[in-house]
Amino acid sequence: MNISYNWLKDYINTDLKPGEIAPVLTDIGLEVEAVETYEQVKGGMKGLVIGKVLTCEKHPNADKLSVTTVDIGKGEPLHIVCGAPNVEAGQKVVVAPVGATLYKGDESLTLQKIKIRGEVSEGMICAEDEIGIGNRHEGIIVLEDDVPVGIPAGEYYHIEQDTVFVIGLTPNRIDSCSHYGTARDLAAFLSQNSAIQLTKPDVSAFRKDADDYPVEVIIENVNGCRRYAGISVTGVTIAASPDWLQNKLLAIGQIPISNIVDITNFVLHELGQPLHAFDADRLAGQKIIVKNMPDGTRFTTLDGQEHALSSDDLMICDGERPVALAGLFGGLESGITDTTKNVFIESACFDPVTVRRTSKRLGISTDASFIFERGVDPTITILALKRAAMLMKELAGGKIASDIIDIYPSPIEPCTVELSYPNIDRLIGKKIEHNVIRGILEKLEFKILREDEQDLSVLVPAYRIDVTREADVIEEILRIYGYNNVEISRELHGSVSYTSKPDREKLANAVSDYLTGNGFNEIICNSLTRAAYYDNLDSYQAKRLVRILNPLSNDLNVLRQTLLFGGLESIVHNTNRKNPDLMLYEFGTCYFYDKTDIPGDPLDNYSEHLHLALFLTGRKYEMSWLAGDENYSFFDLKAYVENIFRKLGFRIDDFQASGLEKRKDIFSDGIAFRHHDKLLAELGVVSRQLLKKFDLKADVFYANLYWDRIIEMLKDIKVQFSELPKFPEVKRDLSMILDKSVTYDQIKKLAYQTGGKILKHVHLFDVYEGKGIESGKKSYAVNFVLQDLTKTLVDSEIDEVMNRLMSAYEKNLNAKIRK
């Protein structure tokens, strides 16, 4: 939001400079993100002065040039070589002396003392296009004889200069989305220390001139239109707006169009009430009907774009057809044109949800929709209407030709809030005098209904639609009183807190530290994503999506079921910026909808679960003469996942590993880890079909850890201390030929079932298929670690265990032991 300093001062009498006002606005909750300068003419004609041509002679070395001397009111007359055919002695002219800068578009020229065909030139006598006030270049500007010599050109032309505050407005502060609204807050703050007067736009002179152009207004959808007011202004002349109005609009980035349209924009930015002006002669039946149209109705907006309407879109219609999208955009067939003579002004209060839904569905965003979507003050509807009608009468020569039509079916009752002075002191952290609190509330237009020593009751002004609770009112008091005026307390208050075990945050931080320490970067992706990602997926079905009723866009219309797509978007973003080698992780919540027919709370159909996602893609090492060109592999990802589980206290040997046959739409290959039959992690290579949708050519290795389940499992895992063993471990290797269908998990489980207590670990260190191995078979090489914590193992005990293992493999897995 842009706020003009000059415009702001129309409503508040202050001598504070822009640099002093900016921090005040930030302190009261209107954060100033930037302070910009507006100049009616680029450069503001700085350095340009009014001069008088004293002499004018032909250039001795050029037929089309003249050599002049020009008095600019100080110092010696300037010698200036001029090429204009109309330059003559005695003229009053605009002079750009040495050091002045002239602008033309994005180009600039700083004048220097030079020689032109042998004659010294100490500046330039300017034409219209050279100083930015016109396009003519046939000759220099010749001013009236009575213009004083030496005055700045900017002063003569009354060049407007302004300072603009760029305010980052929060959604709840739409009341300050206007110059008067900002002035109201500023006056409330400044009035604590000085006599500041807030001046509201005066409409006391409003009078009806005639009653010869009535327009009938009917509201059929009273839920979508809370209040609708209008008035007719006839006999207007469409022309350019006066300079003062154009400058105000230009300063805040608005482009002047015509006097009628500019007036509606002016009132919007003055009071925060959007208006719309119709060409009244183009309204069929001199009638306005606020209603919804059937699905598929075609409507063309002012920009010439045709739209297919939905039955949910609120429309402004005349007696035959729709003429405007309520709260968004006018229609082409009823807009103001150069031939418009009679105008109907609309000032309304539309339902925020209705306006926003239509805005997002059609992809139309306007200044009006920005305000209506956040809630407009229903009490300024008539004030804005009168203000616009009076300006049209003044600037367009019209007459007010009807009574004000005001349809307000269900007036919005102002909110009453009960306040406690002790609560005010407690929440603010400082005791503020009661008279100061009363003064702040009254300056903010809160009405005090009742007050005693301990409590007061206030009526919240209609413009503060977000203030409904005691804490809200206290916040208003504090921001105007000043956060910086509340001293830091010397008291320290504390409480004993108990955190249930396992500590979720502590464990998440520990895992984050481990991953970050190993080169991973944490990402935080939007929980909102696009529903199209879930089309034709069995792993994450579209019917389980939590859909947003009023989405920001079609790209953000559902809550995510998986962290995968956000991670792939991050990989695409980095890859497109020459950063393809990535190690990423994210802790994030996923959301699910599972409709049931069981009566109960509808919220029971929804669930959310925390997940941890890991992503590896690209080269494993930076390119160098020392490191090879090695890419990440599935085994790198598996190692990180297993280390996470070890860090949390799990024994990897207790996990059951299985394939991901049911996840083929996500993984082309991979494994799942289960613990006591509960799925804790899935990891593998993202399917090529899915990568193709994201235009990714390199392999992406992805792990999905079910964090909520992992934390729940940790409650049953007891981490116990044991001293280091005093007796050595023994390692034995075993090589055997097995059917291809036999998995390592089967080998490991059978080993632990057979080996007894002294078998501590089982490791697979080689798998071979090919020459020397018959078809349908493969060779496994397995390492066994044996250890007795009470004594040193002897050969007979070791051989006994190994013999039992070989017998078990031969019997249960049809293994052939290789000697």
Side-chain angles (χ1 to χ4, degrees):
M1 179 186 72
N2 294 340
I3 293 294
S4 156
Y5 171 73
N6 291 344
W7 195 347
L8 194 66
K9 291 182 68 177
D10 289 347
Y11 316 107
I12 181 172
N13 60 326
T14 178
D15 294 327
L16 291 179
K17 302 300 181 186
E20 297 170 305
I21 288 180
V24 173
L25 291 174
T26 298
D27 286 346
I28 61 177
L30 305 176
E31 183 181 0
V32 176
E33 297 178 339
V35 178
E36 300 175 350
T37 300
Y38 163 75
E39 295 170 326
Q40 183 182 358
V41 173
K42 190 169 183 179
M45 293 191 181
K46 291 177 182 177
L48 275 62
V49 296
I50 305 301
K52 180 178 181 180
V53 181
L54 300 178
T55 64
C56 179
E57 299 176 356
K58 288 292 183 182
H59 194 293
N61 302 316
D63 293 337
K64 294 184 178 181
L65 299 179
S66 301
V67 179
T68 66
T69 55
V70 183
D71 178 16
I72 61 170
K74 60 180 179 180
E76 294 294 325
L78 302 179
H79 292 271
I80 297 177
V81 176
C82 180
N86 63 328
V87 62
E88 294 179 2
Q91 292 174 335
K92 297 290 181 67
V93 293
V94 178
V95 180
V98 172
T101 301
L102 300 178
Y103 297 88
K104 188 173 184 179
D106 294 330
E107 299 178 355
S108 63
L109 171 66
T110 300
L111 297 182
Q112 299 177 351
K113 184 176 179 179
I114 61 173
K115 278 189 176 183
I116 301 177
R117 295 288 184 91
E119 293 293 328
V120 173
S121 184
E122 299 174 306
M124 179 187 293
I125 303 175
C126 300
E128 283 186 2
D129 65 331
E130 292 167 337
I131 63 173
I133 64 169
N135 298 316
R136 295 180 59 188
H137 193 73
E138 298 83 32
I140 60 170
I141 303 167
V142 180
L143 307 176
E144 296 83 2
D145 291 338
D146 58 353
V147 179
V149 172
I151 66 170
E155 180 182 325
Y156 171 77
Y157 282 106
H158 304 291
I159 297 301
E160 182 81 13
Q161 291 185 312
D162 200 355
T163 300
V164 179
F165 305 107
V166 181
I167 295 177
L169 201 65
T170 53
N172 66 312
R173 292 305 315 278
I174 198 63
D175 60 287
S176 292
C177 190
S178 66
H179 285 76
Y180 178 76
T182 301
R184 176 173 51 211
D185 272 10
L186 188 61
F189 180 86
L190 297 177
S191 62
Q192 296 179 90
N193 300 311
S194 58
I196 295 294
Q197 188 67 36
L198 178 67
T199 304
K200 203 167 191 175
D202 184 17
V203 294
S204 59
F206 175 84
R207 298 288 185 276
K208 179 178 68 171
D209 299 311
D211 196 9
D212 54 8
Y213 211 108
V215 174
E216 182 184 4
V217 175
I218 301 170
I219 302 179
E220 292 187 4
N221 185 345
V222 294
N223 293 322
C225 181
R226 299 171 177 176
R227 186 176 191 178
Y228 193 99
I231 196 168
S232 299
V233 180
T234 60
V236 300
T237 300
I238 305 299
S241 298
D243 286 346
W244 70 265
L245 179 52
Q246 291 197 39
N247 286 330
K248 286 186 184 298
L249 294 177
L250 286 168
I252 60 172
Q254 297 290 311
I255 299 175
I257 298 172
S258 68
N259 48 7
I260 299 298
V261 177
D262 293 349
I263 287 168
T264 61
N265 287 332
F266 171 81
V267 174
L268 182 151
H269 292 284
E270 179 184 52
L271 296 173
Q273 170 64 52
L275 303 175
H276 186 68
F278 297 95
D279 186 327
D281 294 331
R282 303 169 77 182
L283 295 177
Q286 289 185 218
K287 184 180 291 186
I288 288 289
I289 306 172
V290 185
K291 63 180 182 179
N292 298 81
M293 299 297 291
D295 283 329
T297 302
R298 311 303 294 183
F299 176 69
T300 304
T301 46
L302 280 168
D303 58 359
Q305 297 295 313
E306 188 179 58
H307 303 274
L309 301 179
S310 162
S311 58
D312 292 330
D313 299 331
L314 186 66
M315 301 300 297
I316 310 299
C317 305
D318 61 12
E320 298 176 354
R321 65 196 189 284
V323 292
L325 283 162
L328 273 108
F329 214 175
L332 186 63
E333 296 182 3
S334 63
I336 302 298
T337 66
D338 293 343
T339 60
T340 296
K341 295 298 180 186
N342 302 315
V343 175
F344 180 75
I345 314 170
E346 167 193 282
S347 180
C349 177
F350 298 113
D351 173 55
V353 174
T354 301
V355 175
R356 183 171 178 81
R357 183 167 54 232
T358 301
S359 172
K360 296 306 174 186
R361 189 184 68 80
L362 297 178
I364 298 174
S365 182
T366 61
D367 289 341
S369 69
F370 179 86
I371 293 176
F372 279 125
E373 288 172 17
R374 289 157 178 79
V376 71
D377 178 5
T379 64
I380 64 167
T381 305
I382 302 302
L383 170 65
L385 193 66
K386 289 180 177 180
R387 178 74 162 148
M390 292 174 66
L391 285 171
M392 288 184 189
K393 182 177 177 180
E394 175 188 348
L395 303 181
K399 65 177 183 178
I400 299 172
S402 74
D403 289 319
I404 291 177
I405 302 130
D406 184 17
I407 301 180
Y408 198 4
S410 302
I412 298 172
E413 294 296 329
C415 178
T416 301
V417 177
E418 301 293 328
L419 291 169
S420 163
Y421 280 120
N423 276 349
I424 295 175
D425 298 339
R426 179 179 61 83
L427 288 179
I428 291 178
K430 179 180 181 178
K431 184 174 179 59
I432 302 176
E433 296 296 328
H434 293 187
N435 64 314
V436 174
I437 293 173
R438 284 195 301 273
I440 290 173
L441 291 174
E442 288 169 354
K443 288 293 183 181
L444 292 175
E445 301 179 12
F446 285 76
K447 185 178 180 181
I448 297 176
L449 303 176
R450 177 189 57 79
E451 182 184 15
D452 56 36
E453 288 298 318
Q454 294 293 317
D455 306 291
L456 74 161
S457 177
V458 298
L459 194 67
V460 179
Y463 74 82
R464 288 312 303 269
I465 61 174
D466 62 312
V467 176
T468 58
R469 306 169 302 164
E470 181 184 31
D472 298 333
V473 180
I474 295 173
E475 182 182 4
E476 292 300 291
I477 296 168
L478 177 56
R479 71 181 182 84
I480 297 301
Y481 178 75
Y483 294 99
N484 294 332
N485 293 327
V486 179
E487 298 81 5
I488 298 175
S489 173
R490 294 182 176 275
E491 298 180 4
L492 180 64
H493 300 276
S495 62
V496 177
S497 62
Y498 171 77
T499 303
S500 60
K501 302 296 183 181
D503 189 328
R504 297 172 63 93
E505 294 298 324
K506 186 176 180 180
L507 291 174
N509 288 337
V511 171
S512 295
D513 289 343
Y514 163 73
L515 292 172
T516 302
N518 280 276
F520 280 81
N521 288 296
E522 184 175 10
I523 58 174
I524 302 175
C525 299
N526 199 335
S527 297
L528 296 171
T529 185
R530 63 175 69 177
Y533 284 153
Y534 298 85
D535 292 344
N536 304 316
L537 286 185
D538 294 326
S539 297
Y540 302 103
Q541 297 179 358
K543 66 181 182 180
R544 299 189 70 195
L545 288 171
V546 179
R547 299 183 181 274
I548 306 302
L549 295 178
N550 190 22
L552 293 170
S553 70
N554 288 332
D555 289 338
L556 300 170
N557 56 358
V558 296
L559 288 170
R560 64 189 176 193
Q561 283 190 50
T562 173
L563 304 181
L564 172 60
F565 301 124
L568 292 178
E569 287 176 346
S570 299
I571 292 172
V572 170
H573 181 85
N574 281 272
T575 301
N576 290 341
R577 287 157 180 79
K578 309 298 182 183
N579 184 30
D581 308 323
L582 299 166
M583 303 173 69
L584 307 174
Y585 75 94
E586 178 181 14
F587 280 98
T589 304
C590 297
Y591 306 85
F592 303 88
Y593 172 70
D594 295 290
K595 185 177 181 180
T596 61
D597 297 326
I598 302 174
D601 189 344
L603 292 179
D604 292 340
N605 296 329
Y606 298 90
S607 62
E608 57 182 66
H609 307 284
L610 189 63
H611 288 246
L612 168 62
L614 276 63
F615 300 88
L616 296 177
T617 184
R619 289 190 180 91
K620 190 172 181 179
Y621 307 107
E622 289 187 13
M623 290 187 67
S624 73
W625 65 272
L626 187 60
D629 189 16
E630 182 181 353
N631 291 334
Y632 288 111
S633 69
F634 164 77
F635 297 101
D636 294 313
L637 181 66
K638 180 173 177 285
Y640 287 120
V641 172
E642 289 181 346
N643 286 338
I644 288 172
F645 281 117
R646 289 191 185 96
K647 193 171 185 68
L648 293 173
F650 287 93
R651 275 173 44 89
I652 301 302
D653 292 336
D654 294 339
F655 281 13
Q656 301 93 43
S658 60
L660 292 172
E661 289 75 15
K662 294 183 179 180
R663 295 286 202 188
K664 287 299 183 183
D665 51 352
I666 300 297
F667 297 98
S668 60
D669 197 9
I671 59 172
F673 283 155
R674 286 179 169 80
H675 191 272
H676 298 311
D677 296 325
K678 284 189 176 181
L679 178 63
L680 298 187
E682 303 163 321
L683 55 150
V685 188
V686 177
S687 73
R688 180 50 52 188
Q689 183 178 2
L690 198 56
L691 293 180
K692 188 176 180 180
K693 292 182 179 179
F694 286 84
D695 197 24
L696 287 170
K697 295 179 175 58
D699 285 337
V700 175
F701 301 94
Y702 163 64
N704 173 33
L705 280 69
Y706 294 78
W707 192 253
D708 284 340
R709 296 180 191 173
I710 292 170
I711 297 299
E712 191 66 28
M713 295 289 292
L714 285 176
K715 294 178 181 179
D716 300 325
I717 294 179
K718 304 298 182 183
V719 179
Q720 296 179 332
F721 166 79
S722 61
E723 62 179 336
L724 293 174
K726 298 178 181 178
F727 302 98
E729 61 183 26
V730 177
K731 295 182 179 181
R732 290 289 186 270
D733 296 336
L734 186 62
S735 180
M736 50 191 156
I737 297 174
L738 297 159
D739 291 337
K740 276 189 175 182
S741 60
V742 177
T743 65
Y744 167 64
D745 192 53
Q746 291 175 278
I747 296 172
K748 185 173 66 172
K749 284 182 179 178
L750 187 56
Y752 284 123
Q753 291 171 5
T754 307
K757 291 184 178 181
I758 65 171
L759 178 60
K760 300 301 181 184
H761 301 292
V762 180
H763 300 290
L764 175 68
F765 66 88
D766 187 47
V767 180
Y768 175 73
E769 296 179 60
K771 187 177 180 180
I773 304 295
E774 62 183 285
S775 178
K777 302 285 185 177
K778 57 185 174 182
S779 172
Y780 274 110
V782 184
N783 175 260
F784 301 91
V785 178
L786 308 173
Q787 188 177 42
D788 191 327
L789 300 179
T790 61
K791 63 179 182 178
T792 300
L793 290 171
V794 297
D795 288 342
S796 59
E797 294 171 315
I798 297 170
D799 292 341
E800 182 187 353
V801 173
M802 293 305 297
N803 288 331
R804 287 205 311 266
L805 288 171
M806 289 186 285
S807 297
Y809 288 139
E810 289 172 335
K811 180 180 179 181
N812 294 284
L813 300 180
N814 197 27
K816 181 180 179 181
I817 307 301
R818 302 181 73 182
K819 302 299 184 181

